[in-house]
Structures are given as C-alpha cells and as structure tokens.
Amino acid sequence: QVTLRESGPALVKPTQTLTLTCTFSGFSLSTSGMCVSWIRQPPGKALEWLALIDWDDDKYYSTSLKTRLTISKDTSKNQVVLTMTNMDPVDTATYYCARKGPTGTFDYWGQGTLVTVSS
Amino acid sequence: AIRMTQSPSSFSASTGDRVTITCRASQGISSYLAWYQQKPGKAPKLLIYAASTLQSGVPSRFSGSGSGTDFTLTISCLQSEDFATYYCQQYYSYLYTFGQGTKLEIK
C-alpha cells in the first residue's frame, strides 16, 4: 500500500526558509521510473507544480520558482525534502507531495500540509 | 510553459446528468493528459491518465478522450459523490502544469 505524508511548520515568517519533508512507504525511490513531486495549492486556487526528484537523483523545478527551491531525497529513510527560501505571504498554501509512478503522472498523494506565511 | 485552459470554470448539474468538461493545451501534448477530482479539504485523486485510461478503482461512468491540444472528461451519469472540482494536467513536458479547475455544483 502506497502512502505519503507531508510534515513541516504550519506557520513561517516572511523571508524565512521553509523546509518540508515527505515520508513515504509502499515503494522505493531507488526503483527505476519512480519519482516524487511537490505541488501546492493556495486557498481557493488551482494546483501549482513545484519540483520533482527521480530515482536517478535528477531534479526538476518550476521555472518561476527555481531560484528558491531545492529538492533532495534520502532513499534509506524513504523521505524527500523540499526547501523554499525567502517565504512571502503569497506562498501561503497547502503543500502536497505526490508519487509519479507507472502511470507517468501523480497517482498517489499525501493529505497535504497547510503552510501560512505571516509575521 | 504549456498553458492548460479548462472550460467551463464552474457549472451546475443534477444527479443523473451527463456532463462534459473540456481542457485545451497551448501546444500539442500528444496524450500526456491526466484528470483529477478534488473534494474540499482533500488531496486530488487521479481519475484518468494518458487522456483516456481509467485509473484502477475509478468508476466506469468517468471517461476521457482527446489528443494533441483538445481533451474532454465525461461523466455519463452524475452521482452525488461526483460533485467536486476537476483539474486537467499535462505531463508532456516535465514543467507539469494544471488547468485552473472546473467546479461542478449541484443544481
């Protein structure tokens, strides 16, 4: 059974760095073709893809946010970490991690974690 | 980045109706198109991938079609649990992009 769970702070201050962890089970990120992605959703708005890391440690980032994002993995812990620097109130959103598997797209999602950026 | 445009943004329908949602890509994406359903406070759920392949466990009243730039999601006979927001998403380019969503409400 595939599961993913996001963890991290619920509140960050403007200009701070956000660090989110995705802990997953039911698959291995060392298996060829497996990837984990981060996607966010501001309240009442649409989904926005942020970053992806694959089994070969290749990393891909949203063009508009790539200077602020870093994605990494710890295969032994079954975790993927996303850092986002220089947080702003417009970054307030629910942040999801999701698996990209054999379907080629995001077939399993975590429940999401709401991050509020406010002083 | 490839822009995904859904229509309509919202509409009302009744249980038992047949409904169609459209999604247009700003450039050709072959069949690298997925549809998701999202209910309030929940994560999106994958319904269809490769434009027309039903994800395991998804009811057969959901279907998808299209290729290139124009795609549709059809729900053949609306059930109460289908009232939700639907998103299309392209994965032709690794710069994955989603549509703005279509909110399906009860009439």
Side-chain angles (χ1 to χ4, degrees):
Chain A
Q1 180 189 3
V2 173
T3 64
L4 303 98
R5 186 182 76 250
E6 306 87 353
S7 58
L11 179 67
V12 298
K13 291 180 169 32
T15 75
Q16 287 186 336
T17 294
L18 170 69
T19 299
L20 295 172
T21 301
C22 176
T23 303
F24 58 88
S25 63
F27 69 99
S28 173
L29 202 39
S30 60
T31 299
S32 178
M34 289 296 168
C35 312
V36 171
S37 201
W38 285 93
I39 296 150
R40 72 178 179 180
Q41 185 173 38
K45 296 189 177 181
L47 299 159
E48 178 184 21
W49 175 78
L50 300 176
L52 178 143
I53 190 165
D54 71 13
W55 76 100
D56 206 23
D57 209 35
D58 290 322
K59 301 160 188 175
Y60 304 89
Y61 297 100
S62 162
T63 301
S64 60
L65 293 168
K66 68 180 302 180
T67 60
R68 299 173 54 205
L69 296 173
T70 302
I71 192 169
S72 62
K73 64 182 173 75
D74 185 331
T75 304
S76 65
K77 293 183 179 179
N78 281 351
Q79 290 183 332
V80 170
V81 174
L82 180 76
T83 63
M84 180 180 290
T85 61
N86 195 24
M87 293 292 285
D88 183 271
V90 300
D91 296 313
T92 294
T94 297
Y95 287 75
Y96 296 99
C97 62
R99 185 188 84 160
K100 179 175 178 284
T103 64
T105 190
F106 309 120
D107 54 1
Y108 290 92
W109 295 61
Q111 83 277 13
T113 186
L114 175 62
V115 178
T116 301
V117 185
S118 175
S119 55
Chain B
I2 299 172
R3 181 182 174 93
M4 307 301 293
T5 304
Q6 290 180 232
S7 61
S9 295
S10 65
F11 71 103
S12 300
S14 301
T15 304
D17 285 352
R18 178 185 178 91
V19 300
T20 298
I21 299 168
T22 65
C23 178
R24 175 164 288 177
S26 61
Q27 66 184 73
I29 58 169
S30 184
S31 295
Y32 294 97
L33 190 283
W35 290 98
Y36 298 86
Q37 176 193 67
Q38 187 179 33
K39 296 182 178 179
K42 300 294 186 183
K45 172 187 174 183
L46 178 64
L47 298 177
I48 288 170
Y49 63 95
S52 61
T53 302
L54 210 60
Q55 173 69 338
S56 176
V58 174
S60 59
R61 63 181 180 273
F62 290 91
S63 63
S65 66
S67 67
T69 60
D70 295 308
F71 302 86
T72 60
L73 171 70
T74 299
I75 310 172
S76 60
C77 182
L78 270 176
Q79 303 298 302
S80 57
E81 61 267 31
D82 300 335
F83 292 96
T85 299
Y86 293 86
Y87 292 94
C88 63
Q89 175 239 330
Q90 65 81 19
Y91 53 104
Y92 177 83
S93 159
Y94 78 83
L95 296 175
Y96 308 102
T97 44
F98 293 85
Q100 82 278 14
T102 295
K103 186 174 183 179
L104 179 52
E105 297 175 302
I106 300 174
K107 186 181 288 184

